[in-house]
Amino acid sequence: MNLLPKSTADFGSTEYWNSFFRKRGNQAFEWYGEYPELCGQLHKYIKPRDEILVVGCGNSKLSVDMYDVGFRKITNIDISPVVVKQMQEANRTTRPEMIWREMDATAMSFPDESFSVVLDKGTLDALYTDQSAPVVATVRKYLAEICRVLRTAGRYVCVSLLQAHILQEVLDHFPAADFMLRVVRCPDAGRGSSEDGSHMVVFAVVATKFKNLPMRVLELCLAGDQIERVQRAEDIQAAVASAQKAAMVCNGLARGSIAGQAEVSIDLFHPSVKSAPRYTIHVLDQTPKRGNGKYAAFIVPQGRDTEWLFATPAGRRKLQESAKFDRLAIVTLHRGHTYTDLEAVKEELAESVKSLAPSGLPGTTSIPYLSIGAEVGRRETIHTGSSALSGEYVVEEITGDNGRLFRRLVFLANQSVVQSEAALKMARVRGSRAPQKVIDPGYLACQHHLFMTVGVRLAVNVAPDAQDCPVAVVGLGGGGLCTFIRECLKTTTITAVEIDPEIEQIAVKYFGLTLDKRLRVAIADGIRFLAEEATRGARYSALLFDVDSKDPTVGMSCPPAAFLERDVLANVRQLVGDTGLFVLNLVCRNDSLRETTVQSLKQAFRYVLSYQLDEDVNEIFYCSDNERLKDANSWQEMLRVAADDVNKLARKEKLTHQQELVDLSDFITALKI
């Protein structure tokens, strides 16, 4: 039996509704949910003593159920005489006080101010089928009638899907007519009506009538009972649109698997903090396998969210494969929010995680939550600031594995990337009786820095004067790489080139950078510095590029493309001469850009090798014109020696790093010429 209208215009016709209700007979038709799904919101705004007008009642059980729980003063009207007669006959003896009348809601015969509540479930949506002039005129007549029949302090409660044009009309009409306007989400409505698990996002518009409202009052309540007053109609429109888009994502996930496709990500905001999401959920599917679980959520502890396994699509895919669930929702917790404990996070996420469940999962199924340990982790902000070049930043401390503390620098424009990291240790400081938190100078946070240090050691080993090895590092960050090179390779003197003076101050104050005769910082544009050094005839045993791009739209985030221009590489070639080494940290996700970079390096240097890190996107390039490095065997042997030297010297100086190169076979064989 086809009960859907042939066109949306049919929603406004008496003929359509007469036909509709004849076909359905006495079977109730519930737009957007039944009374049990709506009562949680309705009871907040409608009281048993209210005189209630239900407009466009149809054969919905809503007013019947309200009558049965104590609402006695209910008048129902509908444009269809068929349905009015059906409802009169069905309720005459059991609900004698109920009134049912055939009436057009756009031209009601009731006196002014007859009712304290007008209740509308889907009628405004049914009337406002398009934005043609006749339809708009009808809708405005309807809203004017609502205003007329309502008493002062009375309420128009409208259950609606709030399509954009409907919400716009509501926002235009009611505040201008001295109504206080609140938009409330009905979280339980619209669920379970679809066999594929999808549901509609249902809202309640609550417009309260005043005689002379001194100021426009707009409010939102989209989560729980928290009501937020907003200043602009645009804030309500944005919030409603966000909820609708999120529902579209959930509906799409409910309808089928996204195995073999890109992950789906959704941000969850706290109603009182809209400047930054409280949670981000990444949803991944894999082809179902016998014996695997259907669905689980994985909560990433604070501070771990920047690790490869959690911060990258490839890492999250690997996590899902190891977790062995058909669908995995990976949840990250954002800075700027407080999370009391893991159980509180689970409770807060329960409804959202459930809404992302795959089709076929019974509603009573308990969704398992996975994590690392039993805590949400620790993240404490110790300093916030702003750089004229890099924008706002935070210096924060997090707790890692085994309770070890780390300090990090993060630019808020790219919060998924840790700009710098240092390990903390407890040590006695001069003038202090108790041990204090201090920077561990021997901890090397970034794996790629280890391979860059090996490159510096290779340059030292092939340098004509092993006792005088000047090194230039373009890009300071927190200074961890420069500090490690100075502590490990004692014959080096290091010039760190940094364009942002704020970064130098952060490195010194918060990351333990010590400036002395072996380590200095030059505040300068890196490209200009290289040109000026080349002009004055400077020489470096090793020159390192570890500088990031501020433009996230390009496929290469390190270095900026300008650093790979021909004249820049020519200056680099001049500065390292015939015996020195150029070491480049390349972060490039665009194959075409990478190939262009490789060709540029090969045009500037005779000998080029690269090493791709296993779990990071970093690729380290070693470039030189040194004749001792003219063939693969020479390169591999000398790099083997350099790597061994770095390990031995690090152990001697009691330095630590993430990955000791004890077994060099993978590193050497992975080098590409």
Side-chain angles (χ1 to χ4, degrees):
M1 182 184 297
N2 180 16
L3 299 179
L4 296 177
K6 296 178 181 179
S7 70
T8 53
D10 290 338
F11 277 121
S13 73
T14 303
E15 292 75 15
Y16 168 72
W17 290 113
N18 282 335
S19 173
F20 180 93
F21 288 116
R22 285 194 186 99
K23 291 177 181 178
R24 289 194 65 89
N26 294 324
Q27 182 182 356
F29 185 75
E30 298 297 343
W31 291 109
Y32 315 153
E34 299 185 6
Y35 171 76
E37 300 166 342
L38 296 169
C39 64
Q41 297 299 334
L42 297 183
H43 286 190
K44 295 176 184 178
Y45 305 107
I46 307 174
K47 304 304 177 185
R49 65 176 179 273
D50 280 321
E51 294 185 49
I52 304 165
L53 171 64
V54 179
V55 290
C57 62
N59 66 352
S60 168
K61 291 179 58 184
L62 179 61
S63 60
V64 170
D65 289 334
M66 292 178 66
Y67 184 96
D68 290 345
V69 297
F71 295 86
R72 290 290 187 265
K73 302 174 183 178
I74 301 177
T75 299
N76 303 270
I77 66 170
D78 197 277
I79 197 173
S80 169
V82 173
V83 77
V84 169
K85 184 177 180 180
Q86 288 177 354
M87 298 304 285
Q88 286 174 336
E89 292 175 352
N91 296 283
R92 182 176 291 112
T93 57
T94 55
R95 300 171 185 90
E97 297 174 62
M98 288 271 277
I99 299 172
W100 306 86
R101 296 181 62 178
E102 176 192 346
M103 191 178 297
D104 184 347
T106 67
M108 292 185 277
S109 58
F110 301 115
D112 294 352
E113 300 189 354
S114 296
F115 300 96
S116 57
V117 171
V118 175
L119 178 57
D120 170 344
K121 192 179 76 159
T123 298
L124 177 59
D125 290 13
L127 287 173
Y128 211 162
T129 55
D130 58 54
Q131 293 176 274
S132 64
V135 168
V136 171
T138 298
V139 168
R140 290 177 180 172
K141 284 176 60 180
Y142 169 66
L143 295 179
E145 281 291 271
I146 297 297
C147 297
R148 183 183 66 79
V149 301
L150 265 178
R151 297 169 186 159
T152 300
R155 287 178 172 142
Y156 171 55
V157 180
C158 175
V159 181
S160 169
L161 297 184
L162 283 187
Q163 293 172 276
H165 65 286
I166 294 175
L167 178 58
Q168 183 66 63
E169 189 70 34
V170 166
L171 290 167
D172 288 343
H173 180 85
F174 286 105
D178 289 319
F179 278 71
M180 184 182 81
L181 187 66
R182 180 180 296 171
V183 175
V184 180
R185 183 168 182 179
C186 303
D188 297 323
R191 297 185 182 277
S193 58
S194 174
E195 294 180 358
D196 62 9
S198 61
H199 66 278
M200 300 178 290
V201 186
V202 178
F203 301 92
V205 172
V206 182
T208 305
K209 183 178 179 179
F210 290 88
K211 281 189 176 179
N212 291 294
L213 196 62
M215 59 181 290
R216 185 174 65 170
V217 180
L218 302 175
E219 294 180 337
L220 269 172
C221 182
L222 299 187
D225 294 323
Q226 185 160 350
I227 298 171
E228 174 191 5
R229 183 159 293 185
V230 300
Q231 299 300 316
R232 306 180 308 155
E234 291 84 351
D235 295 331
I236 291 181
Q237 290 170 315
V240 168
S242 178
Q244 291 166 335
K245 289 177 182 177
M248 289 176 62
V249 172
C250 295
N251 287 341
L253 290 169
R255 291 189 184 103
S257 171
I258 56 170
Q261 303 176 41
E263 64 185 26
V264 171
S265 301
I266 186 168
D267 289 330
L268 303 178
F269 290 79
H270 193 281
S272 63
V273 184
K274 293 185 178 179
S275 57
R278 182 166 172 80
Y279 300 100
T280 295
I281 304 181
H282 303 280
V283 182
L284 301 90
D285 280 349
Q286 63 181 345
T287 303
K289 299 176 182 178
R290 182 174 299 177
N292 287 357
K294 187 77 173 175
Y295 177 47
F298 187 101
I299 300 175
V300 181
Q302 294 181 91
R304 304 291 297 272
D305 48 294
T306 57
E307 296 177 15
W308 177 84
L309 192 64
F310 311 120
T312 66
R316 291 190 287 267
R317 179 66 61 191
K318 184 174 181 180
L319 175 63
Q320 188 208 15
E321 292 170 355
S322 63
K324 298 182 178 179
F325 282 86
D326 297 345
R327 173 169 292 176
L328 187 67
I330 301 173
V331 184
T332 57
L333 287 60
H334 289 274
R335 60 180 52 82
H337 298 270
T338 300
Y339 307 92
T340 53
D341 55 45
L342 193 59
E343 290 305 314
V345 168
K346 290 180 184 179
E347 182 178 353
E348 190 175 12
L349 286 169
E351 194 63 30
S352 296
V353 167
K354 183 180 178 181
S355 71
L356 298 169
S359 60
L361 190 73
T364 57
T365 301
S366 177
I367 299 171
Y369 283 83
L370 316 174
S371 189
I372 302 171
E375 301 297 332
V376 293
R378 171 186 171 272
R379 174 160 39 202
E380 178 185 1
T381 298
I382 62 171
H383 177 69
T384 62
S386 181
S387 159
L389 295 175
S390 303
E392 295 183 350
Y393 65 85
V394 297
V395 178
E396 60 189 17
E397 292 179 1
I398 66 104
T399 302
D401 289 338
N402 302 319
R404 190 171 190 184
L405 292 178
F406 297 92
R407 184 170 292 169
R408 290 174 171 175
L409 168 63
V410 177
F411 290 113
L412 297 185
N414 192 4
Q415 298 190 38
S416 63
V417 175
V418 175
Q419 185 72 19
S420 300
E421 180 180 271
L424 299 172
K425 64 180 182 180
M426 303 302 294
R428 292 192 178 277
V429 180
R430 182 177 298 178
S432 176
R433 295 182 179 181
Q436 303 291 317
K437 287 188 297 187
V438 298
I439 297 294
D440 181 352
Y443 173 78
L444 197 58
C446 300
Q447 190 186 38
H448 73 273
H449 283 170
L450 182 60
F451 295 96
M452 297 186 83
T453 304
V454 170
V456 176
R457 180 61 189 183
L458 174 60
V460 170
N461 289 347
V462 299
D465 183 2
Q467 299 305 310
D468 181 19
C469 295
V471 176
V473 180
V474 181
L476 174 65
L481 173 60
C482 295
T483 298
F484 188 83
I485 293 173
R486 181 183 62 183
E487 297 297 319
C488 187
L489 307 177
K490 299 294 187 181
T491 62
T492 57
T493 56
I494 304 161
T495 299
V497 185
E498 175 57 54
I499 193 172
D500 189 347
E502 184 81 9
I503 296 298
E504 179 188 8
Q505 298 302 313
I506 295 170
V508 171
K509 186 173 182 179
Y510 295 102
F511 289 87
L513 180 68
T514 301
L515 304 180
D516 53 25
K517 64 181 181 179
R518 287 192 52 223
L519 174 55
R520 75 181 186 95
V521 175
I523 300 298
D525 175 89
I527 293 176
R528 186 176 301 170
F529 173 87
L530 296 171
E532 292 174 352
E533 289 291 276
T535 299
R536 76 176 184 86
R539 287 288 185 270
Y540 291 94
S541 298
L543 201 158
L544 285 62
F545 279 7
D546 190 32
V547 56
D548 65 327
S549 170
K550 302 303 181 187
D551 185 357
T553 64
V554 298
M556 184 167 64
S557 56
C558 185
F563 279 79
L564 298 174
E565 296 290 340
R566 179 176 298 182
D567 57 341
V568 178
L569 292 178
N571 288 332
V572 172
R573 166 66 184 81
Q574 181 179 329
L575 290 170
V576 298
D578 294 333
T579 57
L581 192 73
F582 171 50
V583 183
L584 167 68
N585 172 35
L586 180 71
V587 179
C588 185
R589 296 170 177 83
N590 184 300
D591 291 339
S592 177
L593 281 176
R594 181 192 176 278
E595 183 58 31
T596 300
T597 299
V598 171
Q599 294 306 315
S600 297
L601 294 174
K602 287 184 176 179
Q603 290 172 8
F605 296 92
R606 285 188 288 175
Y607 314 120
V608 178
L609 271 73
S610 73
Y611 176 68
Q612 176 68 58
L613 275 68
D614 288 339
E615 290 191 349
D616 292 330
V617 292
N618 305 73
E619 186 174 8
I620 307 302
F621 283 85
Y622 306 95
C623 310
S624 181
D625 279 1
N626 195 315
E627 285 294 325
R628 297 176 63 184
L629 304 173
K630 65 182 178 180
D631 61 72
N633 291 333
S634 298
W635 271 107
Q636 291 181 348
E637 181 56 33
M638 290 188 176
L639 279 167
R640 189 188 304 277
V641 171
D644 281 340
D645 289 346
V646 169
N647 273 333
K648 291 175 183 177
L649 291 168
R651 284 193 291 267
K652 179 181 177 182
E653 299 297 330
K654 297 182 180 179
L655 306 177
T656 59
H657 48 76
Q658 286 187 332
Q659 177 182 339
E660 285 203 8
L661 296 177
V662 177
D663 180 4
L664 297 173
S665 58
D666 290 342
F667 170 49
I668 300 302
T669 57
L671 287 169
K672 302 174 184 178
I673 296 180

